[in-house]
Amino acid sequence: MANTNRGVVYEGPGEVRVEDLDFPELVLHEQNERKLNHGAILKTIATNICGSDQHMVRGRTTAPAGLTLGHEITGEVIEVGSDVEFIKKGDICSVPFNIACGRCRNCKERHTGVCENVNPARAGAAYGYVDMGGWHGGQAEYVTVPYADWNLLKIPADRDTVMAKMRDLTMLSDIFPTGYHGAYTAGVTTGSTVYVAGAGPVGLACATSCFLLGAAVVIVGDMNAERLRQARSFGCETIDLSQHADLADQLEQILGVPEVDASVDCVGFEARGHGPESGGERPATVLNSLMDITRAAGRLGIPGLYVTGDPGGVDENARIGQLGIRIGLGWAKSHVITTGQCPVMRYNRQLMMAILHDRVQIARNVNATVIPLDRAPEGYEEFDKGAARKYVIDPHGLVGAAS
């Protein structure tokens, strides 16, 4: 078995490097030598760069230097702990970005994004992420996954089929379920009109999910012309928010009414003001605009990331995640608002079947772009500049070979 490992490490604001790492173990030294007999070690087949990673790399969180990045992981099991019963060596599995024990109250109620037992500091954990329990990131050649029987989703197809669809299947670890969660909790269904804020990978995954759920019209708003073109490429209507400050007016031009049935925030706390005179970052802009343009008794899904600590926040309130939200408007319109991490296991098996049986082309819609591990810093740089791509890191060259 291999005994070397390399991965992507956050060195400080704006700087990531590929470095030599310790080979994974079935123990977590960062949590008082926690034994992981229930875990497995995976050879990473595909691992993706996420917008949530980018928040850390920009210095917009309290992430420490030296953190191995990466929470979107698909891999092959090469070792299992003594307590693992059902996952076997050679299984190719999708890894939910939420780390969960499967045993606490929240896990049993399917709230796996806020497991009570995997992070000593607070509920909820993730791989390679700030304040999420010290679990090592998966943008590496090899990675440890705890509670393997619970966390790992075995892909039930022959190896050739799995590898041929890997560019799609790798989206199951985060952005496809996260986008779907935003759409589903916003109540998107047959004939819905939907507004999706943000045309980054999660926004595009959400728009894809809206169509999968039967939406009649999906409208995506962003300030990036290239990303808006990508949204239009699979049937979305688009609004260029760098040119238009009045979102309701733009919706009325498309729909005939200035509101939608459902809306989803796929932007998060680095939101910017709308229009040519927007004046820079305004972290509550998206939340307030969605309450404005969503019909009374409608729903808002908010998978976009909001944090409790933002060193780069525009003011003292923003630096602790305290935003000027028009909750009175949402209350008056009887809105239902769903926030928080996506509980990936609530959706990943169904979405996997949609991929395996050709019901959805998520890789095409998010413009999945495969790069080798050594090009990861370049991928981060291009993504930060607004590239309309979802970067898939291929540590062993297996995805590129299958393509």
Side-chain angles (χ1 to χ4, degrees), residues 2 4-7 21 23-24 41-48 68-78 91-93 95 127 136-145 159 163 166 170 173 373 392-399:
T4 61
N5 193 22
R6 298 168 69 239
L21 305 172
F23 194 79
I41 297 174
L42 272 62
K43 177 180 181 178
T44 304
I45 294 174
T47 176
N48 315 325
T68 303
L69 298 170
H71 56 267
E72 300 190 15
I73 309 161
T74 309
E76 179 180 356
V77 176
I78 62 169
D91 288 347
I92 297 179
C93 301
V95 184
Y127 304 90
H136 296 176
Q139 287 175 11
E141 293 172 329
Y142 299 91
V143 66
T144 297
V145 174
R159 187 180 184 89
M163 293 308 301
M166 184 53 64
T170 189
S173 56
L373 181 63
V392 177
I393 299 172
D394 186 4
H396 298 278
L398 299 173
V399 182

Short mmCIF file of all heavy atoms in Angstrom, two decimals, residues 2 4-7 21 23-24 41-48 68-78 91-93 95 127 136-145 159 163 166 170 173 373 392-399:
data_model
loop_
_atom_site.label_atom_id
_atom_site.label_comp_id
_atom_site.label_asym_id
_atom_site.label_seq_id
_atom_site.Cartn_x
_atom_site.Cartn_y
_atom_site.Cartn_z
N ALA A 2 0.39 2.29 -0.63
CA ALA A 2 1.15 3.55 -0.69
C ALA A 2 1.38 4.09 0.71
O ALA A 2 0.60 3.87 1.63
CB ALA A 2 0.39 4.56 -1.52
N THR A 4 2.94 7.44 0.88
CA THR A 4 3.18 8.86 0.66
C THR A 4 1.87 9.54 0.31
O THR A 4 0.91 8.90 -0.13
CB THR A 4 4.19 9.08 -0.47
OG1 THR A 4 3.67 8.52 -1.69
CG2 THR A 4 5.53 8.42 -0.15
N ASN A 5 1.84 10.84 0.52
CA ASN A 5 0.60 11.59 0.29
C ASN A 5 0.97 13.04 -0.03
O ASN A 5 1.96 13.56 0.49
CB ASN A 5 -0.28 11.53 1.53
CG ASN A 5 -1.70 12.02 1.28
OD1 ASN A 5 -2.18 12.02 0.15
ND2 ASN A 5 -2.38 12.41 2.34
N ARG A 6 0.18 13.67 -0.89
CA ARG A 6 0.35 15.07 -1.21
C ARG A 6 -1.03 15.72 -1.25
O ARG A 6 -2.01 15.06 -1.59
CB ARG A 6 1.04 15.27 -2.57
CG ARG A 6 2.44 14.70 -2.63
CD ARG A 6 2.99 14.65 -4.05
NE ARG A 6 3.26 15.97 -4.58
CZ ARG A 6 2.69 16.49 -5.67
NH1 ARG A 6 1.81 15.81 -6.36
NH2 ARG A 6 3.02 17.69 -6.08
N GLY A 7 -1.09 17.02 -0.91
CA GLY A 7 -2.37 17.68 -0.93
C GLY A 7 -2.25 19.19 -0.96
O GLY A 7 -1.15 19.76 -0.92
N LEU A 21 2.26 15.49 2.59
CA LEU A 21 1.45 15.33 3.80
C LEU A 21 1.74 13.97 4.42
O LEU A 21 2.25 13.06 3.76
CB LEU A 21 -0.04 15.40 3.46
CG LEU A 21 -0.56 16.63 2.71
CD1 LEU A 21 -2.02 16.41 2.33
CD2 LEU A 21 -0.41 17.88 3.57
N PHE A 23 0.69 10.33 5.54
CA PHE A 23 -0.29 9.39 5.01
C PHE A 23 -1.43 9.25 6.01
O PHE A 23 -1.20 9.26 7.23
CB PHE A 23 0.36 8.03 4.73
CG PHE A 23 -0.49 7.14 3.88
CD1 PHE A 23 -0.56 7.31 2.52
CD2 PHE A 23 -1.27 6.15 4.47
CE1 PHE A 23 -1.37 6.50 1.74
CE2 PHE A 23 -2.08 5.33 3.71
CZ PHE A 23 -2.13 5.50 2.33
N PRO A 24 -2.69 9.14 5.54
CA PRO A 24 -3.82 9.06 6.47
C PRO A 24 -3.71 7.87 7.43
O PRO A 24 -3.16 6.82 7.10
CB PRO A 24 -5.03 8.90 5.54
CG PRO A 24 -4.58 9.46 4.24
CD PRO A 24 -3.12 9.16 4.13
N ILE A 41 -9.79 4.37 4.78
CA ILE A 41 -8.86 5.23 4.04
C ILE A 41 -9.18 5.08 2.56
O ILE A 41 -9.32 3.96 2.05
CB ILE A 41 -7.40 4.86 4.33
CG1 ILE A 41 -7.09 5.12 5.81
CG2 ILE A 41 -6.44 5.67 3.44
CD1 ILE A 41 -5.71 4.67 6.25
N LEU A 42 -9.30 6.21 1.88
CA LEU A 42 -9.65 6.23 0.46
C LEU A 42 -8.50 6.76 -0.38
O LEU A 42 -7.80 7.70 0.03
CB LEU A 42 -10.88 7.12 0.22
CG LEU A 42 -12.26 6.48 0.33
CD1 LEU A 42 -12.50 5.95 1.75
CD2 LEU A 42 -13.35 7.48 -0.06
N LYS A 43 -8.33 6.16 -1.54
CA LYS A 43 -7.51 6.74 -2.60
C LYS A 43 -8.41 7.69 -3.37
O LYS A 43 -9.41 7.28 -3.94
CB LYS A 43 -6.98 5.63 -3.51
CG LYS A 43 -6.17 6.14 -4.70
CD LYS A 43 -5.69 4.96 -5.56
CE LYS A 43 -4.87 5.42 -6.74
NZ LYS A 43 -4.38 4.25 -7.54
N THR A 44 -8.07 8.96 -3.33
CA THR A 44 -8.96 9.97 -3.92
C THR A 44 -8.95 9.86 -5.44
O THR A 44 -7.90 9.93 -6.07
CB THR A 44 -8.52 11.38 -3.49
OG1 THR A 44 -8.48 11.45 -2.07
CG2 THR A 44 -9.47 12.43 -4.03
N ILE A 45 -10.13 9.71 -6.01
CA ILE A 45 -10.27 9.68 -7.47
C ILE A 45 -10.54 11.09 -7.99
O ILE A 45 -9.94 11.52 -8.98
CB ILE A 45 -11.39 8.72 -7.89
CG1 ILE A 45 -11.00 7.27 -7.54
CG2 ILE A 45 -11.69 8.84 -9.39
CD1 ILE A 45 -12.10 6.27 -7.79
N ALA A 46 -11.45 11.81 -7.32
CA ALA A 46 -11.77 13.18 -7.73
C ALA A 46 -12.09 13.98 -6.48
O ALA A 46 -12.73 13.50 -5.55
CB ALA A 46 -12.97 13.19 -8.69
N THR A 47 -11.64 15.23 -6.47
CA THR A 47 -11.91 16.13 -5.35
C THR A 47 -11.97 17.55 -5.91
O THR A 47 -11.15 17.93 -6.74
CB THR A 47 -10.82 16.01 -4.26
OG1 THR A 47 -11.08 16.97 -3.24
CG2 THR A 47 -9.43 16.19 -4.81
N ASN A 48 -12.96 18.31 -5.50
CA ASN A 48 -13.28 19.54 -6.22
C ASN A 48 -12.96 20.79 -5.41
O ASN A 48 -12.98 20.79 -4.18
CB ASN A 48 -14.77 19.57 -6.56
CG ASN A 48 -15.25 18.24 -7.12
OD1 ASN A 48 -14.52 17.56 -7.83
ND2 ASN A 48 -16.47 17.88 -6.78
N THR A 68 -5.10 21.57 5.51
CA THR A 68 -5.28 20.85 4.25
C THR A 68 -6.73 21.03 3.81
O THR A 68 -7.66 20.74 4.56
CB THR A 68 -4.97 19.36 4.42
OG1 THR A 68 -3.65 19.20 4.92
CG2 THR A 68 -5.09 18.64 3.09
N LEU A 69 -6.92 21.52 2.59
CA LEU A 69 -8.24 21.90 2.11
C LEU A 69 -8.98 20.71 1.49
O LEU A 69 -8.39 19.68 1.17
CB LEU A 69 -8.11 23.01 1.07
CG LEU A 69 -7.50 24.32 1.57
CD1 LEU A 69 -7.20 25.25 0.39
CD2 LEU A 69 -8.43 25.00 2.56
N GLY A 70 -10.28 20.90 1.27
CA GLY A 70 -11.03 19.97 0.45
C GLY A 70 -12.08 19.16 1.18
O GLY A 70 -11.75 18.35 2.05
N HIS A 71 -13.34 19.38 0.82
CA HIS A 71 -14.43 18.61 1.42
C HIS A 71 -15.32 17.93 0.37
O HIS A 71 -16.33 17.34 0.73
CB HIS A 71 -15.29 19.51 2.32
CG HIS A 71 -15.84 20.71 1.62
ND1 HIS A 71 -15.19 21.93 1.62
CD2 HIS A 71 -16.97 20.89 0.89
CE1 HIS A 71 -15.91 22.80 0.92
NE2 HIS A 71 -16.99 22.19 0.47
N GLU A 72 -14.94 18.00 -0.89
CA GLU A 72 -15.71 17.33 -1.95
C GLU A 72 -14.86 16.17 -2.46
O GLU A 72 -13.91 16.36 -3.21
CB GLU A 72 -16.04 18.31 -3.07
CG GLU A 72 -16.87 19.50 -2.59
CD GLU A 72 -17.40 20.35 -3.74
OE1 GLU A 72 -17.38 19.89 -4.90
OE2 GLU A 72 -17.84 21.48 -3.47
N ILE A 73 -15.23 14.95 -2.07
CA ILE A 73 -14.35 13.80 -2.24
C ILE A 73 -15.11 12.62 -2.83
O ILE A 73 -16.21 12.28 -2.38
CB ILE A 73 -13.76 13.37 -0.88
CG1 ILE A 73 -13.12 14.55 -0.14
CG2 ILE A 73 -12.75 12.24 -1.06
CD1 ILE A 73 -12.94 14.31 1.35
N THR A 74 -14.50 11.97 -3.82
CA THR A 74 -14.95 10.68 -4.32
C THR A 74 -13.72 9.80 -4.40
O THR A 74 -12.68 10.24 -4.91
CB THR A 74 -15.59 10.80 -5.71
OG1 THR A 74 -16.60 11.82 -5.68
CG2 THR A 74 -16.23 9.48 -6.13
N GLY A 75 -13.80 8.58 -3.91
CA GLY A 75 -12.58 7.78 -3.89
C GLY A 75 -12.83 6.29 -3.80
O GLY A 75 -13.96 5.82 -3.65
N GLU A 76 -11.72 5.55 -3.87
CA GLU A 76 -11.73 4.09 -3.79
C GLU A 76 -11.21 3.67 -2.42
O GLU A 76 -10.14 4.11 -1.98
CB GLU A 76 -10.86 3.49 -4.89
CG GLU A 76 -10.79 1.97 -4.85
CD GLU A 76 -9.93 1.38 -5.95
OE1 GLU A 76 -9.42 2.16 -6.79
OE2 GLU A 76 -9.75 0.15 -5.95
N VAL A 77 -11.93 2.79 -1.76
CA VAL A 77 -11.54 2.32 -0.43
C VAL A 77 -10.31 1.41 -0.56
O VAL A 77 -10.32 0.44 -1.32
CB VAL A 77 -12.70 1.55 0.24
CG1 VAL A 77 -12.26 0.97 1.59
CG2 VAL A 77 -13.91 2.47 0.41
N ILE A 78 -9.27 1.74 0.20
CA ILE A 78 -8.06 0.90 0.18
C ILE A 78 -7.77 0.27 1.54
O ILE A 78 -6.95 -0.65 1.63
CB ILE A 78 -6.83 1.70 -0.30
CG1 ILE A 78 -6.51 2.87 0.64
CG2 ILE A 78 -7.01 2.16 -1.73
CD1 ILE A 78 -5.16 3.52 0.35
N ASP A 91 -14.34 -0.70 -3.12
CA ASP A 91 -15.59 0.04 -3.36
C ASP A 91 -15.25 1.48 -3.76
O ASP A 91 -14.38 2.12 -3.15
CB ASP A 91 -16.46 0.09 -2.10
CG ASP A 91 -17.10 -1.24 -1.77
OD1 ASP A 91 -17.08 -2.15 -2.63
OD2 ASP A 91 -17.61 -1.38 -0.63
N ILE A 92 -15.93 1.98 -4.79
CA ILE A 92 -15.81 3.39 -5.17
C ILE A 92 -17.01 4.12 -4.55
O ILE A 92 -18.16 3.73 -4.77
CB ILE A 92 -15.76 3.58 -6.69
CG1 ILE A 92 -14.52 2.90 -7.25
CG2 ILE A 92 -15.74 5.08 -7.04
CD1 ILE A 92 -14.40 3.00 -8.77
N CYS A 93 -16.71 5.16 -3.78
CA CYS A 93 -17.74 5.78 -2.96
C CYS A 93 -17.71 7.30 -3.08
O CYS A 93 -16.65 7.90 -3.24
CB CYS A 93 -17.54 5.42 -1.49
SG CYS A 93 -17.56 3.65 -1.13
N VAL A 95 -18.33 10.73 -0.93
CA VAL A 95 -18.19 11.10 0.47
C VAL A 95 -18.97 12.38 0.73
O VAL A 95 -18.58 13.45 0.23
CB VAL A 95 -16.71 11.33 0.84
CG1 VAL A 95 -16.57 11.61 2.33
CG2 VAL A 95 -15.86 10.14 0.41
N TYR A 127 -14.71 18.04 6.24
CA TYR A 127 -13.30 17.80 5.94
C TYR A 127 -12.62 19.11 5.53
O TYR A 127 -13.15 19.88 4.74
CB TYR A 127 -13.16 16.79 4.79
CG TYR A 127 -13.85 15.49 5.04
CD1 TYR A 127 -15.18 15.30 4.66
CD2 TYR A 127 -13.19 14.45 5.68
CE1 TYR A 127 -15.83 14.11 4.91
CE2 TYR A 127 -13.84 13.24 5.93
CZ TYR A 127 -15.16 13.08 5.55
OH TYR A 127 -15.81 11.90 5.80
N HIS A 136 -9.01 16.20 8.43
CA HIS A 136 -8.11 16.54 7.34
C HIS A 136 -8.86 16.64 6.01
O HIS A 136 -9.80 15.88 5.75
CB HIS A 136 -7.00 15.49 7.22
CG HIS A 136 -6.12 15.45 8.43
ND1 HIS A 136 -5.11 14.53 8.58
CD2 HIS A 136 -6.09 16.22 9.56
CE1 HIS A 136 -4.49 14.73 9.74
NE2 HIS A 136 -5.09 15.74 10.35
N GLY A 137 -8.43 17.57 5.17
CA GLY A 137 -9.09 17.81 3.90
C GLY A 137 -8.81 16.74 2.86
O GLY A 137 -7.83 15.99 2.95
N GLY A 138 -9.66 16.71 1.86
CA GLY A 138 -9.60 15.68 0.84
C GLY A 138 -9.02 16.10 -0.49
O GLY A 138 -9.04 15.31 -1.45
N GLN A 139 -8.51 17.34 -0.62
CA GLN A 139 -7.81 17.72 -1.85
C GLN A 139 -6.40 17.17 -1.76
O GLN A 139 -5.41 17.88 -1.65
CB GLN A 139 -7.83 19.24 -2.03
CG GLN A 139 -9.20 19.76 -2.43
CD GLN A 139 -9.27 21.28 -2.49
OE1 GLN A 139 -8.26 21.96 -2.43
NE2 GLN A 139 -10.49 21.80 -2.60
N ALA A 140 -6.34 15.85 -1.77
CA ALA A 140 -5.10 15.12 -1.53
C ALA A 140 -5.18 13.77 -2.23
O ALA A 140 -6.23 13.37 -2.75
CB ALA A 140 -4.90 14.92 -0.03
N GLU A 141 -4.08 13.08 -2.24
CA GLU A 141 -4.05 11.77 -2.90
C GLU A 141 -4.81 10.72 -2.10
O GLU A 141 -5.40 9.80 -2.67
CB GLU A 141 -2.60 11.35 -3.11
CG GLU A 141 -1.86 12.23 -4.11
CD GLU A 141 -0.37 11.92 -4.17
OE1 GLU A 141 0.20 11.50 -3.14
OE2 GLU A 141 0.22 12.11 -5.25
N TYR A 142 -4.79 10.86 -0.76
CA TYR A 142 -5.44 9.89 0.11
C TYR A 142 -6.10 10.65 1.27
O TYR A 142 -5.64 11.71 1.68
CB TYR A 142 -4.44 8.88 0.66
CG TYR A 142 -3.76 8.07 -0.41
CD1 TYR A 142 -2.56 8.51 -0.98
CD2 TYR A 142 -4.32 6.89 -0.89
CE1 TYR A 142 -1.94 7.78 -1.99
CE2 TYR A 142 -3.70 6.15 -1.90
CZ TYR A 142 -2.52 6.61 -2.44
OH TYR A 142 -1.92 5.89 -3.45
N VAL A 143 -7.17 10.06 1.83
CA VAL A 143 -7.90 10.74 2.89
C VAL A 143 -8.59 9.71 3.78
O VAL A 143 -8.93 8.61 3.33
CB VAL A 143 -8.95 11.72 2.30
CG1 VAL A 143 -10.05 10.96 1.55
CG2 VAL A 143 -9.54 12.62 3.37
N THR A 144 -8.77 10.06 5.05
CA THR A 144 -9.49 9.21 6.00
C THR A 144 -10.94 9.66 6.11
O THR A 144 -11.22 10.86 6.21
CB THR A 144 -8.84 9.27 7.39
OG1 THR A 144 -7.51 8.75 7.31
CG2 THR A 144 -9.62 8.46 8.40
N VAL A 145 -11.85 8.71 6.11
CA VAL A 145 -13.29 8.96 6.31
C VAL A 145 -13.75 8.19 7.53
O VAL A 145 -13.62 6.96 7.58
CB VAL A 145 -14.11 8.54 5.07
CG1 VAL A 145 -15.60 8.66 5.34
CG2 VAL A 145 -13.71 9.35 3.86
N ARG A 159 -16.94 -0.65 -12.60
CA ARG A 159 -15.92 0.38 -12.54
C ARG A 159 -15.88 1.24 -13.81
O ARG A 159 -15.72 2.46 -13.73
CB ARG A 159 -14.55 -0.26 -12.30
CG ARG A 159 -13.44 0.77 -12.05
CD ARG A 159 -12.09 0.11 -11.82
NE ARG A 159 -11.09 1.10 -11.50
CZ ARG A 159 -10.81 1.52 -10.27
NH1 ARG A 159 -11.44 1.01 -9.24
NH2 ARG A 159 -9.88 2.45 -10.06
N MET A 163 -16.32 5.28 -13.75
CA MET A 163 -15.27 6.19 -14.19
C MET A 163 -15.74 7.04 -15.37
O MET A 163 -15.38 8.22 -15.48
CB MET A 163 -14.02 5.41 -14.55
CG MET A 163 -13.34 4.74 -13.36
SD MET A 163 -13.00 5.86 -11.97
CE MET A 163 -11.94 7.06 -12.78
N MET A 166 -17.63 9.87 -13.87
CA MET A 166 -17.03 10.46 -12.67
C MET A 166 -17.16 11.97 -12.63
O MET A 166 -17.31 12.56 -11.55
CB MET A 166 -15.56 10.04 -12.58
CG MET A 166 -14.85 10.52 -11.32
SD MET A 166 -15.69 10.07 -9.76
CE MET A 166 -15.60 8.28 -9.81
N THR A 170 -18.79 13.09 -9.13
CA THR A 170 -18.02 13.83 -8.14
C THR A 170 -18.80 15.01 -7.57
O THR A 170 -18.47 15.52 -6.49
CB THR A 170 -16.67 14.31 -8.73
OG1 THR A 170 -15.86 14.85 -7.68
CG2 THR A 170 -16.86 15.37 -9.79
N SER A 173 -20.80 14.90 -3.74
CA SER A 173 -20.26 15.12 -2.41
C SER A 173 -20.73 16.44 -1.81
O SER A 173 -20.73 16.61 -0.59
CB SER A 173 -18.73 15.07 -2.45
OG SER A 173 -18.23 16.02 -3.38
N LEU A 373 -3.48 17.54 -9.73
CA LEU A 373 -3.27 18.07 -8.39
C LEU A 373 -2.31 19.26 -8.40
O LEU A 373 -2.53 20.26 -7.70
CB LEU A 373 -2.74 16.96 -7.48
CG LEU A 373 -2.47 17.33 -6.02
CD1 LEU A 373 -3.75 17.76 -5.32
CD2 LEU A 373 -1.82 16.15 -5.30
N VAL A 392 -12.33 20.28 -11.00
CA VAL A 392 -12.25 18.92 -10.47
C VAL A 392 -10.78 18.52 -10.45
O VAL A 392 -10.14 18.42 -11.50
CB VAL A 392 -13.06 17.93 -11.33
CG1 VAL A 392 -12.90 16.50 -10.81
CG2 VAL A 392 -14.53 18.33 -11.38
N ILE A 393 -10.24 18.32 -9.25
CA ILE A 393 -8.85 17.91 -9.11
C ILE A 393 -8.75 16.39 -9.26
O ILE A 393 -9.53 15.65 -8.66
CB ILE A 393 -8.28 18.36 -7.75
CG1 ILE A 393 -8.35 19.89 -7.64
CG2 ILE A 393 -6.85 17.88 -7.57
CD1 ILE A 393 -7.99 20.42 -6.25
N ASP A 394 -7.79 15.95 -10.05
CA ASP A 394 -7.61 14.54 -10.44
C ASP A 394 -6.25 14.08 -9.92
O ASP A 394 -5.27 14.02 -10.66
CB ASP A 394 -7.68 14.47 -11.97
CG ASP A 394 -7.66 13.07 -12.53
OD1 ASP A 394 -7.66 12.11 -11.74
OD2 ASP A 394 -7.62 12.94 -13.77
N PRO A 395 -6.14 13.71 -8.61
CA PRO A 395 -4.82 13.50 -8.02
C PRO A 395 -4.00 12.37 -8.64
O PRO A 395 -2.78 12.43 -8.66
CB PRO A 395 -5.15 13.16 -6.56
CG PRO A 395 -6.50 13.72 -6.31
CD PRO A 395 -7.21 13.59 -7.62
N HIS A 396 -4.66 11.36 -9.18
CA HIS A 396 -3.95 10.21 -9.73
C HIS A 396 -4.10 10.07 -11.25
O HIS A 396 -3.68 9.07 -11.82
CB HIS A 396 -4.43 8.92 -9.05
CG HIS A 396 -4.18 8.89 -7.58
ND1 HIS A 396 -2.96 8.54 -7.02
CD2 HIS A 396 -4.99 9.19 -6.53
CE1 HIS A 396 -3.04 8.61 -5.70
NE2 HIS A 396 -4.26 8.99 -5.37
N GLY A 397 -4.71 11.06 -11.89
CA GLY A 397 -4.88 11.02 -13.33
C GLY A 397 -5.93 10.04 -13.80
O GLY A 397 -6.01 9.73 -15.00
N LEU A 398 -6.79 9.58 -12.90
CA LEU A 398 -7.77 8.54 -13.26
C LEU A 398 -8.97 9.11 -14.00
O LEU A 398 -9.51 8.46 -14.90
CB LEU A 398 -8.24 7.83 -11.99
CG LEU A 398 -7.15 7.11 -11.20
CD1 LEU A 398 -7.71 6.58 -9.87
CD2 LEU A 398 -6.57 5.96 -12.02
N VAL A 399 -9.40 10.31 -13.65
CA VAL A 399 -10.57 10.91 -14.32
C VAL A 399 -10.21 11.28 -15.75
O VAL A 399 -10.98 11.01 -16.68
CB VAL A 399 -11.08 12.13 -13.53
CG1 VAL A 399 -12.33 12.70 -14.20
CG2 VAL A 399 -11.37 11.78 -12.09
#
